[in-house]
Amino acid sequence: MLRIQLCITGINYILTYIKTLLQYPPGKPRLTSCRSPEKETFTCWWEPGGDGGLPTTYALYYHLENSETVYECPDYRTAGESSCFFNKNDTSLWVNYNITVVATNALGKNISDPVEVDVVYIVQPNTPENVTAVVVHDEQGPFVRVSWEKPRTADTRSGWITLLYQLRVKQEKDKEWEVYDAGMQKYYNVFSLHPDKEYMVQVRCKPDHGFWSEWTQTTYVKIPDYIPRERSLWIMITIFSVFIVLILTWTLNVKRNSVKLCLLPPVPGPKIKGFEKQLLKSGKSEEVFNTLVIQGFPPTTDYDELLVEYLEVYDNEEQELVLDGKDLSEDCMKSKSPSDSDSGRGSCDSRTLLLEKCMEGREGSGSGSDQHQYSQHGETSWASTESSESQGPAPGSPESADGRGKTWPVVFSSPQPQTHHHYQVGAAKPAYHSVPEILNHSSPHTTPSNYHQLHHQDIPQQEGRFSKPACRHSQSYNQFNLDGVGTPAPGVPPSPSLEYVEVQRVNPENMLLLRPLSDPNREPEGLDCAGEDYSKVKEVTNNILLLQRDTSHQCVDYYSQYLDNQADQCTTQQPPHPCKPAVHQSNSRMPHEGMRVMGNGYVDSTVLMPSY
Amino acid sequence: MGLSVPAVAVLLVALLCLDPHGRVGSAPICAHGPSGCHVPSLADLFDRVIQHSARMHSLSNDLHSEFEQYFLPSKNHIGKIYRKCHTSNILTPNGKENAQKLAREELTEVILKLLMAWRDPLFQLHQSMAHQQDFNSFSSNKALEMGDMAHELRKGVEKVAEKMRVLGMLGNSVTGLSAAEAMLPLSDSGEAMSDYELLYCFRRDSNKVQNYLKILKCRIVPEHDC
């Protein structure tokens, strides 16, 4: 038993010893803060530094500036633990307090660092009180009016302290507060709050020189739901757009026609260039048709220079074709007889020309060369040369191919894309076929006249025929073989002064070799060649009409070739220009032989007529 | 005639409008009484004065904290030896009750005394701050402004007192400050106070002035601000 007691005692002593080893004087206390809520009292707090294992006591001592009197804290309790409260009597403003805290324990004491305090500058008021947030309904929308009261302790009424207020608002989910300064007033209107949301409101205050108070307890406010401005905006937008649509519709309706025109442009109807309906309606058909007339068609100007006015063929004797008035008149009369030809007799009727010539001087017989010029419409002029007397070689004949040995005109520089071919040349004019008519009529007379007639009987009435050498190759080319002129003379009444010559060929010297049609030397060989009294035009180059002389057998061959060519050409021709080698069988009296070469080498002038 | 139309017009105007007596007089302000012009009320005067004093105090506060920040290493208040401010001789209420116990005239007089006492020291402060290279021009300008403000404030408070006297609120016990009252800021040892001490003292005194004015105002013209 004793041992136990001794052990226990020993242990106690040891523990006590240990305790004393661990005991220290108190740690240094520290004044944490001093605050005055209303600038009339203030409180200071300290924290102990460590008790050192021993019970320590703390005491606060202070002295005023410029005074050595030390006072101890009058009130340790009011403000709580480790605090010192200075009441109104002990508080002096505009005076520095020098405050220290002393901690004392059995082993010693410890003094805190002194703190200089001027109460005026440590004012921190209490929080505002009775914070209320009320939703106020306004025209522009509801807002929240937050109101509060001053902290109870602050005496602002006497002007001793001036408080400035501040509030903050946020939704629960927001991170940041929205802070508003309210100044010295005790209410504030908060706008721009979202409807149907709950907000938190807090208020605090501060003296003009001092610290901010703590925030009040949160006050919740719920914004009621209302028609937001956005919706009214949508309503306005809708109405506006409806209005716009109405206006557009009305405008479209008014301008319906022009819209239709714009979207569906009308297909232009057929229109004849130069043709005006109005003129038609007005009834002046001449004006209408005048507009259709193409100026410059058929081209006349080009041909003026090409026209061979006449060729003067002179014999030694001046011979002029004497037109036998009687026969001429007969002929002329006969020529007047209408034929059944309807093959486009043009206005230019060479018969009239012939008539004119008929009426003109009737002079010598046969010898005069009268060149008839069928210059109307720019056609070729038949050279009816003077049937000069047989001069034998007629040396003068080459020379007598006088003068205006102009070239055979290209009858028709047609705008057709055809080369200058026989076709063109053959694109004769009405005058052409009128000539054969004349000759047709005069055919029964054949020889008696001095006319160099163009045997047309063997040649069907065609347009665009030229005199062809009757495939007589035996003629001397370089001479006018006018021998035959005179031979029929005895039987020929001297009356006809008009003689037609047949163009045999054109030599390179631009001389026409003519041969009187009444030449009895002429061999009727040409029958095979279909009585070719017409020279076949080989080609026209440089305004030179090249005529071809072919033999009889060659004629056929040539014709066949020609036909082939023509056929080829026909095939190569474009559809708009139907190749019509057919010949108008306008005259019933056309000999049968002529059928053989019908259309060969001769082109229907209609083919060549440019189709307008 | 070389004279243009404007010159002729000027001549005409001059002839018509010039005072033949050649003397310029001035009409007294508000000669016709309240109907003539706006006479500020006492409340307005007080508001102006209080605002002025608030501005003055904020200036002094800024200067003091600036001084403390740059020129005194230890922010702690330990070791600061403050000489007594030269205005400590003036008895000033150090509490609300004390201040409320004072009569209006005394309170007004205290204010005026304080402001008067700082007229010369503030001038000195500005001078010394301007001469020292340590201060930037901004600070010396503040000191100058502060001095001017104190001067203006004193004038304003005098006007307020005059107004109150006119209104019969003040007795005739308020006397003008005599020249003897204007004392130099000499410490006990006779040395001039340093700039920092001056700033420290002025900050306190400007706060006093502002507070006293507020009390005076709320006592005389209690309004919603009080």
Side-chain angles (χ1 to χ4, degrees), chain A residues 463-491:
Chain A
E463 289 125 347
R465 264 164 291 171
F466 277 91
S467 65
K468 296 168 28 186
C471 303
R472 298 174 196 239
H473 56 278
S474 61
Q475 300 298 327
S476 64
Y477 302 153
N478 296 326
Q479 291 183 5
F480 283 104
N481 197 346
L482 305 174
D483 295 342
V485 177
T487 48

Side-chain angles (χ1 to χ4, degrees), chain A residues 43-62:
Chain A
T43 309
C44 282
W45 292 271
W46 70 85
E47 62 179 11
D51 58 355
L54 289 169
T56 53
T57 57
Y58 297 93
L60 188 142
Y61 299 99
Y62 68 92

Side-chain angles (χ1 to χ4, degrees), chain A residues 39-40 65-66 88 92-94 96 113-114 116 118 120-121 155-160 162 208-209, chain B residues 57 77-78 82 84 93-97 99-100 200 203-204 207-208 210-212 214-215 218 225-226:
Chain A
K39 209 156 73 173
E40 296 170 37
E65 70 177 50
N66 302 326
K88 289 181 186 181
S92 299
L93 265 64
W94 300 293
N96 274 351
D113 293 330
E116 292 267 347
D118 194 340
V120 173
Y121 302 116
D155 183 10
T156 58
R157 199 162 181 285
S158 64
W160 181 242
T162 308
D208 45 3
H209 309 286
Chain B
H57 176 68
H77 292 269
I78 295 176
Y82 301 110
K84 269 177 128 175
N94 58 1
K96 183 175 102 177
E97 289 83 9
Q100 281 176 339
Y200 179 84
R203 179 170 86 136
R204 179 187 289 175
N207 199 342
K208 276 186 188 174
Q210 183 180 8
N211 234 352
Y212 296 154
K214 280 182 186 173
I215 291 173
C218 286
D225 285 345
C226 296

Side-chain angles (χ1 to χ4, degrees), chain A residues 158-336:
Chain A
S158 64
W160 181 242
I161 190 168
T162 308
L163 289 175
L164 302 169
Y165 298 97
Q166 197 181 64
L167 75 152
R168 65 180 188 182
V169 177
K170 85 172 172 91
Q171 294 186 41
E172 194 125 15
K173 60 184 170 93
D174 291 343
K175 279 186 186 176
E176 299 291 326
W177 288 87
E178 279 223 30
V179 178
Y180 303 97
D181 280 312
M184 284 165 56
Q185 60 193 23
K186 298 188 183 63
Y187 63 92
Y188 196 79
N189 295 329
V190 183
F191 299 95
S192 310
L193 293 180
H194 302 141
D196 199 23
K197 293 280 165 53
E198 196 171 44
Y199 283 89
M200 300 158 54
V201 179
Q202 286 181 339
V203 187
R204 70 175 181 181
C205 60
K206 171 179 104 78
D208 45 3
H209 309 286
F211 301 98
W212 280 104
S213 69
E214 298 291 332
W215 289 103
T216 59
Q217 295 289 326
T218 307
T219 304
Y220 291 92
V221 63
K222 177 99 181 328
I223 316 294
D225 203 0
Y226 66 100
I227 298 175
R229 268 186 225 160
E230 291 88 9
R231 208 176 292 180
S232 63
L233 189 68
W234 280 114
I235 289 171
M236 271 186 63
I237 288 173
T238 311
I239 290 173
F240 190 65
S241 52
V242 163
F243 184 61
I244 295 278
V245 164
L246 279 174
I247 286 184
L248 278 175
T249 310
W250 179 75
T251 311
L252 274 176
N253 191 31
V254 166
K255 302 278 182 185
R256 190 185 7 200
N257 293 329
S258 50
V259 168
K260 231 194 277 179
L261 206 66
C262 184
L263 289 178
L264 307 167
V267 176
K271 222 172 162 187
I272 300 175
K273 192 172 172 183
F275 194 79
E276 294 188 15
K277 281 188 205 168
Q278 298 301 323
L279 288 178
L280 253 189
K281 283 178 190 168
S282 61
K284 297 181 188 172
S285 57
E286 289 143 6
E287 293 177 13
V288 174
F289 291 124
N290 279 342
T291 59
L292 291 175
V293 169
I294 308 294
Q295 300 303 325
F297 175 81
T300 57
T301 57
D302 293 339
Y303 294 99
D304 288 337
E305 55 185 355
L306 296 177
L307 276 178
V308 179
E309 299 192 345
Y310 55 91
L311 286 175
E312 294 181 0
V313 178
Y314 291 98
D315 281 342
N316 291 338
E317 302 161 17
E318 187 183 17
Q319 294 175 356
E320 287 190 13
L321 281 174
V322 177
L323 298 171
D324 189 347
K326 188 173 68 162
D327 288 15
L328 188 57
S329 61
E330 272 185 6
D331 294 338
C332 293
M333 295 304 287
K334 289 226 173 113
S335 68
K336 280 188 195 172

Side-chain angles (χ1 to χ4, degrees), chain A residues 13 50 77 91 130 250 275 309 346 376 407 413 435 446 474 478 486 523 599:
Chain A
Y13 276 128
R77 295 173 197 273
T91 306
N130 286 348
W250 179 75
F275 194 79
E309 299 192 345
Q376 295 183 8
T407 60
S413 65
V435 171
T446 54
S474 61
N478 296 326
E523 301 161 6

Side-chain angles (χ1 to χ4, degrees), chain A residues 466-581:
Chain A
F466 277 91
S467 65
K468 296 168 28 186
C471 303
R472 298 174 196 239
H473 56 278
S474 61
Q475 300 298 327
S476 64
Y477 302 153
N478 296 326
Q479 291 183 5
F480 283 104
N481 197 346
L482 305 174
D483 295 342
V485 177
T487 48
V492 177
S495 55
S497 57
L498 194 62
E499 245 185 305
Y500 291 91
V501 299
E502 187 181 48
V503 177
Q504 198 171 0
R505 71 171 272 187
V506 178
N507 67 355
E509 293 161 4
N510 290 340
M511 283 196 292
L512 280 173
L513 303 176
L514 303 174
R515 185 181 65 237
L517 286 175
S518 53
D519 191 354
N521 291 338
R522 287 173 55 189
E523 301 161 6
E525 279 185 12
L527 295 182
D528 281 345
C529 296
E532 272 50 27
D533 295 330
Y534 301 94
S535 59
K536 180 120 179 105
V537 176
K538 186 177 178 187
E539 62 179 345
V540 177
T541 56
N542 298 333
N543 295 336
I544 299 173
L545 195 68
L546 295 180
L547 303 172
Q548 193 163 22
R549 185 186 68 87
D550 287 321
T551 54
S552 62
H553 63 276
Q554 285 179 358
C555 284
V556 178
D557 293 341
Y558 184 81
Y559 287 141
S560 61
Q561 287 175 16
Y562 200 66
L563 182 61
D564 292 340
N565 290 342
Q566 192 178 20
D568 292 342
Q569 289 222 345
C570 285
T571 54
T572 56
Q573 268 185 2
Q574 293 177 2
H577 300 292
C579 190
K580 267 182 65 178

Side-chain angles (χ1 to χ4, degrees), chain A residues 374-385:
Chain A
Y374 299 98
S375 61
Q376 295 183 8
H377 302 293
E379 294 143 11
T380 60
S381 57
W382 291 96
S384 63
T385 61

